[in-house]
Amino acid sequence: MLRVDGALDLALAPKLRQLAERAARLEPTALVIDLTGVTFLTSAGMAELVRAHRGRTVSAPLRVVAAGRITMRPLELTRLTDELAIYPSLSEALATG
């Protein structure tokens, strides 16, 4: 599980990729990225979510925790809500089998 806090932008996106790649080496059954602490979500951040989802970073299924306008609005506008598995809470993302 990765928790992102602050602005998920061009500065933080490479760090997210690095952490996701590191997590992938542990061969998890799923990778959960918690965006509840994100204060700003840009296209660079969303690109890393897509990269992880499509298996370019992590081969395990991706689960994204996102709630609230700051994260959900950009994901909805880009229609990533149709592609990504998005959960309203960390407990729900972790409970999914």
Side-chain angles (χ1 to χ4, degrees), residues 29-34 61-65 85-87 93-97:
T29 56
L31 175 63
V32 176
I33 299 178
D34 184 354
L62 175 67
R63 298 178 189 154
V64 178
V65 180
I86 299 178
Y87 297 83
L94 293 173
T96 301

Side-chain angles (χ1 to χ4, degrees), residues 38-84:
V38 169
T39 57
F40 187 61
L41 180 59
T42 68
S43 60
M46 290 184 284
E48 289 308 322
L49 295 175
V50 170
R51 177 184 301 278
H53 169 69
R54 293 185 179 164
R56 294 188 182 124
T57 304
V58 181
S59 59
L62 175 67
R63 298 178 189 154
V64 178
V65 180
R69 185 175 159 86
I70 290 172
T71 51
M72 286 303 296
R73 184 78 174 138
L75 293 171
E76 290 168 347
L77 288 173
T78 57
R79 306 192 121 204
L80 287 176
T81 52
D82 295 339
E83 183 172 347
L84 301 174

